[in-house]
Amino acid sequence: MPAIARGQESFFDLMNRGNVLRDADKDGNTAAAQALIATNEPILSFDTVHNLQLAISQYEPFVANGGWEEVPQEAFRLLLGKSGAAVIQLKRRLISSGDMALLPNVNDMFDEDTDRGVRTFQARHGLIVNGQVDEPTWYALNVPAATRLQQLYLNFTRVQAMAPNLSPRYVVVNIPAATIEAVSDGMVEQRHTAVVGRVERATPIMASKVSQINFNPYWHVPKSLVRQDLTKYMQENPNYLTEQNIFIYDGSGNKIDPSTINWANITDQQVNYMYRQEPGAANSMGHCKINFYNPYDCYLHDTPTKALFGENARFHSSGCVRVDGVNQLVNWLLRDNGDWDQTKVDTTFESLQRLDVECKARVPLLTTYITAWANRQGTVSFRDDVYEFDAQGKVSFEQA
């Protein structure tokens, strides 16, 4: 991306910029933007079908008339207080998609209204809300309106097919949004940020029921990760297993010394050893694992790497789903057990006690692929087609 050229500014330009920066309520703009999407309406529900229909009816005539204009590269890194011709084009783009109100006169100052418009756009597209036309925002601004309409068509068909099978209470993992919703009686009771599978190790799409919570679990390293990852880590750092509290066992339960393994030439016998990480702060599953039947060895879990939840694109896992605030979700899943509350969940986490709890209520869990949805107030959200299912035109998926 090119840097933005700076021209000479007059005294009055500098004063105007100073006033804009002083008077803008950036925190208020962020809160207003997030309020548009942080409703208690589920991404997946009967209402979503109706809301998507309305969004399609609004986008169709707009696309037929040519859609919105591209935002030039000169808009890259624009933010509050900047000025220039690219700001005018940015404003026109934000007005076209309803992120800014229609103005009788569009000037070249990135003012508070523009800041609010950019933050609204970012919130609708699942981007970090910072008010700056950063790289993810610039690329999202330049997705054609016709592409967004096609997303609406595809997701309308997907949601329409899934909605009739929903139970009164369910959990939805929406892969493109990397979010989780705990839904009861048509309302979202909890919403969690997630980390899902990267493209080459995608999270599978399926329907199941939550069966068990493993508190402070051992992590048995999958054979695929032993071959693909552990061997590389051990070649780079021979103390890696020790540092990560991972022990190796043979088929008889005997411990194997890592130094006796040739990590540069791993064999099938060595891959078939059991590699077990002990409970603790470094455990890859954190303080809990949420089990549900599926043939993919996929599950929801805690994680020690919390920083990943703050990223724009949260596609880092090997297929399983990491959950931010997982202790609250565990409490929600165990509420029918009668003897669990938030304090007991948190205390059990902190104790590092190994404990398996069967869920009395087998709450349905769905992993889904929804890249466009809308709520009752007309806010339309979009996400990137990370697994390229939209590009393939897929509207139905084989489910376990």
Side-chain angles (χ1 to χ4, degrees):
M1 286 289 185
I4 299 171
R6 290 190 176 183
Q8 293 295 318
E9 294 180 302
S10 70
F11 173 74
F12 296 103
D13 289 334
L14 291 171
M15 280 189 60
N16 192 24
R17 171 172 296 142
N19 291 337
V20 167
L21 291 171
R22 185 190 66 236
D23 297 338
D25 181 8
K26 291 187 286 186
D27 290 341
N29 290 342
T30 294
Q34 291 176 334
L36 291 172
I37 60 167
T39 70
N40 60 4
E41 299 172 62
I43 288 175
L44 176 58
S45 70
F46 267 114
D47 284 347
T48 312
V49 178
H50 174 69
N51 297 336
L52 279 167
Q53 279 181 314
L54 291 178
I56 288 169
S57 70
Q58 293 168 350
Y59 271 71
E60 281 179 331
F62 181 74
V63 170
N65 286 323
W68 47 64
E69 303 170 12
E70 284 192 9
V71 176
Q73 286 191 342
E74 289 75 18
F76 183 57
R77 291 184 180 158
L78 282 176
L79 74 167
L80 189 69
K82 298 289 186 180
S83 61
V87 177
I88 295 176
Q89 291 168 282
L90 173 63
K91 287 183 176 182
R92 289 168 62 92
R93 169 64 180 83
L94 294 170
I95 290 169
S96 295
S97 55
D99 295 295
M100 276 184 72
L102 184 61
L103 300 171
N105 201 3
V106 178
N107 61 32
D108 69 352
M109 172 58 68
F110 196 122
D111 53 16
E112 181 169 19
D113 288 342
T114 315
D115 179 77
R116 187 182 304 113
V118 169
R119 291 172 194 267
T120 299
F121 179 89
Q122 290 171 328
R124 292 195 306 109
H125 292 78
L127 304 172
I128 293 172
V129 180
N130 57 19
Q132 180 180 145
V133 183
D134 53 19
E135 188 170 346
T137 304
W138 187 85
Y139 278 110
L141 284 164
N142 281 301
V143 174
T147 302
R148 294 308 192 194
L149 177 58
Q150 182 62 20
Q151 282 185 271
L152 291 170
Y153 286 143
L154 288 169
N155 287 280
F156 171 78
T157 305
R158 290 170 185 160
V159 175
Q160 188 179 43
M162 289 185 283
N165 300 317
L166 295 173
S167 302
R169 187 176 174 210
Y170 56 95
V171 174
V172 171
V173 178
N174 187 24
I175 295 166
T179 57
I180 298 168
E181 292 181 347
V183 181
S184 184
D185 294 328
M187 298 293 180
V188 175
E189 294 190 338
Q190 291 185 14
R191 187 175 280 119
H192 300 264
T193 302
V195 173
V196 297
R198 51 193 183 272
V199 173
E200 65 273 20
R201 301 187 195 177
T203 296
I205 294 174
M206 58 189 159
S208 186
K209 292 185 177 181
V210 177
S211 58
Q212 187 186 62
I213 309 296
N214 301 145
F215 286 93
N216 300 304
Y218 296 112
W219 181 49
H220 295 90
V221 184
K223 292 178 183 179
S224 61
L225 296 191
V226 173
R227 193 182 294 278
Q228 296 176 42
D229 296 332
L230 273 191
T231 53
K232 179 179 67 177
Y233 298 153
M234 285 299 288
Q235 289 172 35
E236 295 171 351
N237 174 15
N239 294 319
Y240 177 81
L241 291 178
T242 302
E243 292 171 2
Q244 296 297 316
N245 212 16
I246 297 173
F247 296 91
I248 310 172
Y249 300 88
D250 65 16
S252 301
N254 301 310
K255 275 189 180 180
I256 304 295
D257 185 343
S259 65
T260 64
I261 294 176
N262 181 0
W263 294 99
N265 185 26
I266 200 84
T267 67
D268 286 341
Q269 178 189 1
Q270 293 159 345
V271 168
N272 287 328
Y273 287 150
M274 182 177 74
Y275 295 75
R276 191 179 79 179
Q277 188 178 38
E278 300 297 300
N283 188 284
S284 294
M285 288 187 293
H287 288 293
C288 81
K289 174 186 177 188
I290 299 173
N291 288 322
F292 45 93
Y293 169 75
N294 66 91
Y296 310 106
D297 195 24
C298 183
Y299 44 83
L300 273 57
H301 65 98
D302 187 17
T303 177
T305 52
K306 310 293 188 189
L308 295 176
F309 294 123
E311 296 186 2
N312 270 320
R314 298 183 300 278
F315 307 95
H316 302 288
S317 84
S318 297
C320 293
V321 180
R322 307 174 200 177
V323 188
D324 191 22
V326 70
N327 58 324
Q328 297 167 31
L329 181 59
V330 167
N331 184 44
W332 189 83
L333 291 167
L334 290 179
R335 72 184 188 191
D336 292 300
N337 281 46
D339 56 344
W340 285 88
D341 59 16
Q342 194 64 66
T343 300
K344 186 173 180 180
V345 170
D346 295 345
T347 302
T348 307
F349 272 29
E350 293 162 7
S351 72
L352 298 184
Q353 175 191 1
R354 272 291 298 116
L355 182 65
D356 297 332
V357 179
E358 295 294 322
C359 298
K360 288 186 178 177
R362 301 292 169 122
V363 178
L365 181 141
L366 302 95
T367 60
T368 62
Y369 198 86
I370 301 173
T371 59
W373 65 95
N375 60 29
R376 280 191 293 268
Q377 56 191 1
T379 302
V380 186
S381 294
F382 294 101
R383 295 296 185 270
D384 288 343
D385 181 22
V386 286
Y387 293 170
E388 298 189 348
F389 292 155
D390 288 0
Q392 298 167 33
K394 292 189 73 168
V395 293
S396 61
F397 304 89
E398 292 293 327
Q399 293 195 338

